Amino acid sequence: MTQTASAEPKKGSALKRSRGGAAGDKVFSNTALAAGVIILLVLAFVAIFLVTESLPALWPQVFSNQDSIASADTFGQYVLPLMGGTVLASIIALILATPVAVGIALYISHYAPRKIATPVGYVIDLLAAIPSVVYGAWGMTFLAASMVPIYGWLHNNLGFIPFFAGDPSTTGRTLLTSGVVLAVMILPIITSLCREIFIQTPKLHEEAALALGATRWEMIRMTVFPFARAGIISSVMLGLGRALGETMAVTLVLSPGVFSLSLITSGRNATIPSEIALNFPEAFGMRQSELIAAGLMLFIITLVVNMIARWIVSRHKEFSGAN
Amino acid sequence: MSKRIDARNLNVYYSKFLAVEDVNINIEPRSVTAFIGPSGCGKTTFLRTINRMHEVIPGAYAEGELLLDGDNIYAPGVDPVNVRAMVGMVFQRPNPFPTMSIRDNILAGHRLNGARMSRSEADDIVERSLRGSNLWNEVKDRLDRPGSGLSGGQQQRLCIARTIAVSPDVILMDEPCSALDPISTLAIEDLINDLKEEYTVVIVTHNMQQAARVADKTAFFNIAGTGKPGKLIEYDDTSTIFSNPANEETQNYISGRFG
Amino acid sequence: MSKRIDARNLNVYYSKFLAVEDVNINIEPRSVTAFIGPSGCGKTTFLRTINRMHEVIPGAYAEGELLLDGDNIYAPGVDPVNVRAMVGMVFQRPNPFPTMSIRDNILAGHRLNGARMSRSEADDIVERSLRGSNLWNEVKDRLDRPGSGLSGGQQQRLCIARTIAVSPDVILMDEPCSALDPISTLAIEDLINDLKEEYTVVIVTHNMQQAARVADKTAFFNIAGTGKPGKLIEYDDTSTIFSNPANEETQNYISGRFG
Amino acid sequence: GGSNGGSNGGGEGGEGGDSGSIAGTLIGGGASSQESAMTAWVEGVKGEHADLTVQYDPVGSGSGREGFLNGQYSFAGSDAAMDDDEKSQAESICGPEGVFHVPAYISPVAVAYNLPEVSEAVKMDADTIAKVFTGEISKWNDEAIASQNEGVELPDMDITVVHRADESGTTENFTEYLAAAAPDSWTHDVVEAWPSDIAAESAQQTSGVVSLTNSTEGAITYADASQVGELGTVAVGVGEEYVEYSADAAAQAVESAEQAEDGSVELDRDTEEGGVYPIVLVSYHIYCKQYQDQETADLAKAFATYVVSEAGQSEAEGAAGSAPISAGTRDAAMQSIDAIGVQG
Amino acid sequence: MKTTDTAAPDPRTQVKKKNALTAGQKPAWTWIAVLVGALVLAGVVTAVLSGGFNWPGFVILTGVFYVIAMYIVTLVVENRRRATDGLWKNLVWGAFLVALLPLISVIWTVVGQGLPTLLANPNMLWVDMGGVTGASDQATVNEGAPLMGGFLHGLIGSVAITAIATLISVPIGLMASIYLVEYSRGGWFSKAITFFVDVMTGIPSIVAGLFAFAAVQLFITTFIGEGPAQLQMVKMGLTAAIALSVLMIPVVVRSTEEMLRVVPNELREASYALGVRKWRTILKVVLPTAMSGIASGVTLAIARVTGETAPILVTAGFAATVNWNVFSGWMTALPVYIYRQLVNPTAPAAAEPSALRAWAAALVLIIIVMVLNLIARIIAQAFAPKKTGR
Ligand SMILES: Nc1ncnc2c1ncn2[C@@H]1O[C@H](COP(=O)(O)OP(=O)(O)OP(=O)(O)O)[C@@H](O)[C@H]1O
Ligand SMILES: Nc1ncnc2c1ncn2[C@@H]1O[C@H](COP(=O)(O)OP(=O)(O)OP(=O)(O)O)[C@@H](O)[C@H]1O
Ligand SMILES: [Mg+2]
Ligand SMILES: [Mg+2]
């Protein structure tokens, strides 16, 4: 069957002659790689920065010749309540925002009449455009006050649940209010990513479901959600990142205090970012290390949460769309 | 079960564009009807109006009446979901659900009805449907793998299996064999022959030999030019259409070299 | 221009799965070769190794040699882009670029590579390619509309036009007519006949009549069972394959009823 | 503080102060309590030295001192004086002579409450104030308060304590006062951040606590007096009498306080002297005694001179509502300012 | 022509009087009845529970009752599937309406507080705070003098800092996600990037600011010098832009990555098969297809950082006057301006003018981001896949 001699390309073979733009490929892929490297470097620097700055608080005996840190006996005592508060606030925000955000995304992609969908999408994006200071100011002046009667009601009727135990706040400056503000802030983030992904669901698959006699909701469950699974989780994580790291809004809305499960009492709970923002200006020496170490802990929370999310996504990799 | 289909003065639009004009056709139950015609003449479009899949496209709508055993599916208040449960459809392009396993793809229609079934019932349905679409042997060992890992032809057969699994009254097929090899095509044609014992089958095909082989009646659609609406030119027994068409256009189309 | 294709001991893998085993084949320049065989036997897979599209799938690779006019396209240092520029491909499923107009789709091969050309040159290419794929009349008035607004058949012809627009040496077609009506099929077959004056054409088809009509030589692939690799069973002049095949498997496949 | 270097640099600097030739940018940062006064000074000093640009970063006292110590700021604004540790660190920037403090901004801290029905100032002694803020007294008509306010109709209302959520000099001053004047009732430390085991309402910055108090009936807070606005203010018990805050009474507190060698003052919180308002926030400007270059020294000297001058202080009073420093304090400050020089 | 003119109606195909397809459906007026019922019930319940009539409670209860009652009615009259479908439809609509509440409330607050000031003092847009002291604000309050000062410096600062941050982070973020989706084959390196990008999303903004400050300080002290003069260079617009980039990059990477992943492979293959190089395929086929998603991701990222306060305060200082130079001198961004005006009024005793300026600035900030958003959408529209086919 074989009669052609050479198996190697001849000299000057058209195959090896570079067709315009071969260099472009190299440059482009290397640029892409470089971008990845830069991100890792920046992150490495952030991590190094955080760790070196927080060492005195993490091991006071070794790194600062002190027996204990400034605001508590041990660092754990100081930071664990803060971590609790941060996680609590973020969970409230996620629980409130995720269903609503996914709902709106669906509304835009599959429910709303076309004429309404576009402006609604735009208007939701607007929410993302509002600076967190403004959310903070809004939460402080408007939302907190209007939550007061709700807290009273929750306490009277659901007071047996630890979350609603304790004296209801008279000003509304509580963790629950902060959670609501955070929810409003992360809503557009989750919505707009989900919306983009929902829209990408292949029409072929949607039609396949409809043709089987699926109702709209069933079609969404059969095709849109599985297709968008990874994307939804991603966007929720992005929202969570924002909620965990949000500084100004919480700072303006919450009356901080010690950790407590009660969400409706003032002067309870605090979040790490607002703790940093509130105290950093006056912090000095050990106190400053403590605050940065608290930032490091937040970093670690994010790390763990994202590990879990990635794990969930990767479990179903082979059944995901695009191919 | 099986249903009669009657279209009356049906006009089909994409927004303002009239794609198919004034179709009147009676399709008998327990028969196979083939739609033939040049590309772009509106076969797919008309087929999709029969189970109200057409309106899924933004801006698309149909005017006129389409009766399923005398019930107008375009009457106000009719839920398209009901229509689609009665009128199954196989698409031109295979579209298995990529996130589901082969098994789940087949059972997708049943699961919708919330019908609870035993493992063995489900296995029964899966096997019967896959055998019906001549795919059983190829996939029986990997029922739990994703459906998207199959070859084009395998995927199309999977979609046919998925549609017949729910036993609709009418089955619409849009060029179901265009991606299939002769062996599978043969199996599908046999299947269609079996199906017509119980169902009304409507099939779009470009392969006139196929139409001649499987269809009891054949409808020829044509289009006068781009931008013009497609029209039903002639509808008659398959033998008449292929041997002795009444219309000159049909004659011309039929007598062209074809494959 | 036109190129000879020689495969030597070619094994094609999807990760660990050997999809096509030990193919040896010589394809002459200026000829049309048809690949036939049952679904899943690896026709598409092998076709895609000819222009190194196979390796685009994660984990997929090929072993052995594939010579293009004596140059091994799998030799180290060969740029797959060069190979693909010489070996054009039309896919089983039409895949026009959704973001581009019809016109831009045709010019994609040129434009995407950054080629600059005058308006009239571009118009020329567009018209020539569209006429070549028998689509010109249908779309000449809406060249600036998106390509995805066409019917399935129209889309496939658009993809053919897009491929011939860059004038490759070899054209691979994976069931190019499976979505086409007889008129367009006819036009494509004529086109293939024209193309072989200048190009090497390889076509995968399920339609054996089509193979008989257009191909000079035919290769029959088969597969022993699921999970087994596909193999090239017989390769010979088309007339020999269809009238007097040397291999029993070929005989069986050919003599089955087919469409 | 340590001082063992010669002072010949100071002499030279003395003559560099003639106006008109001062041009450049002086960068400082620190306490945000001074922000609005600083705005006034930054504008006001232009009237004397048109080309002197001062920029002030209201990052907070701690960050201000830190920025000063590592050279980012040429002067710091701080609600607290530097401790010995910091002062010795400062020698790397300021040379062996170190730093000095100018008590440039004096603001009385008012104990303000929101009781629209009560028209005259509620009187409380230090003990009562401490008990209110620790939550021991939780009703406005509590016997402890009522006994000091004969004839005033106090409502039967819960007291909502509002404190600063952020660390601040105001809190430090207030707790310092409580710890000194009511040691029995205030068992907590002197702290910059409100003790977290007292659960109460809080808000960020003075404007935050004031607006929260404004919107919550029955609330009580402590805040820079200039910002309390319409709120009622407590007349604080000093010795036998009750003193309402006033600029004079505040300046008096600083005047009568003991001044350390580095310019910082040690307020006498439990004074019994009449007419002295004991809860006073003193915010310092911290300068090097010797700068590394002549230009910065000149700029700093010019600015510092303006700030303590009568014009500067009254500008701040007009803009920020602070209490002008007394003549005695000014004289003491000017001595140090005049001595600003360059490191030899 | 046998069948095309079957004008005479076949008696068998006569439309039946009663359409079997609509049998067993709830009548068309059901929803009105249910709504009325829900309104009444909600009215009664609110009145009983709260001892008086209150609007928010009434509206919420009506919604809840309506959704539940529709579900039950459909369940009883029709079937579970229809009921479920209707339930989710109502819930999705509900989600939309619920989201409108805070939106309207926030916008109402900002516009209500900011617009009148801005209309009365349009000059705020082109003056800075130079020369404005507490005294002038007190004059405004006490003597009705015109409102002084504006936020031009903040406007310029915000635009400059955000623009630089965008210039830094969009290319990096975009290229990194291209690396992840198009080039990486799932090795440890890409896993590391994805993972650490996720982690970056959780960096508190103030930490990003501190980090940027430390990084620039390190750079300047190593390469330029360590004197006070050099140290005073650290705070500048660029440092703030770096801080914001740290916050922006993960948002850009994550959203872009998602969008690139859903671009169908057939398009890439179509392009490769034409002999188009990978980088051109990515640039000309993949990116345009994903453009609308990318654009909204980038807009989100920009929107997120333009609202940041804390990191800018620690990195760019605080200026009262216009500074055009991002590479030297302090800069103020609008959020910082808003924040400082709100928490530390120029005149503590007369805080109102500061609040007015702050709200006006907030309104302007929102408008800027809105306009950005609009531009992004227009760009996206120009590239977006023309979705008409199947
Ligand atoms: N989504 C759409 N929007 C607008 N026009 C469309 C759409 N789909 C199809 N058309 C147009 O409607 C007409 C009929 O298309 P249709 O797909 O029904 O043709 P067909 O007969 O099925 O052709 P083929 O044999 O190629 O599949 C064509 O002119 C086509 O361009
Ligand atoms: N991406 C893939 N990953 C793994 N296996 C694949 C992939 N694509 C195809 N295969 C398998 O490789 C074998 C050959 O498939 P191929 O698509 O080449 O068949 P084909 O001859 O083109 O079939 P058809 O006529 O149906 O198009 C089949 O068993 C198929 O399941
Ligand atoms: Mg069609
Ligand atoms: Mg194939």
Side-chain angles (χ1 to χ4, degrees), chain B residues 6 8 14 44 48 57 65 67 69-73 75 77-79 86 112-113 232-233 235-236 246, chain E residues 1-4 6 9-10 12-16 18-22 25 80-82 266 388 390:
Chain B
D6 300 277
R8 298 214 190 139
Y14 288 103
T44 300
R48 287 166 61 96
I57 296 162
E65 287 178 359
L67 313 182
D69 260 6
D71 299 323
N72 182 10
I73 64 168
V78 173
D79 184 355
M86 291 175 197
L112 284 183
N113 281 316
L232 172 61
I233 303 297
Y235 174 51
D236 211 329
Chain E
M1 295 247 65
K2 253 175 147 183
T3 23
T4 36
T6 41
D10 186 333
R12 291 172 312 166
T13 67
Q14 200 66 21
V15 189
K16 293 186 225 153
K18 209 157 160 29
N19 192 328
L21 292 167
T22 50
Q25 284 186 7
R80 195 186 47 80
R81 289 180 57 202
R82 295 259 300 176
E266 16 180 78
T388 37
R390 296 188 281 276

Side-chain angles (χ1 to χ4, degrees), chain B residues 142 149 151 153-154, chain C residues 14 17 39-45 92 175 206:
Chain B
R142 43 172 171 169
S151 80
Q154 290 167 332
Chain C
Y14 288 102
F17 173 55
S39 185
C41 68
K43 304 179 296 294
T44 300
T45 305
Q92 196 162 357
E175 303 183 35
H206 279 136

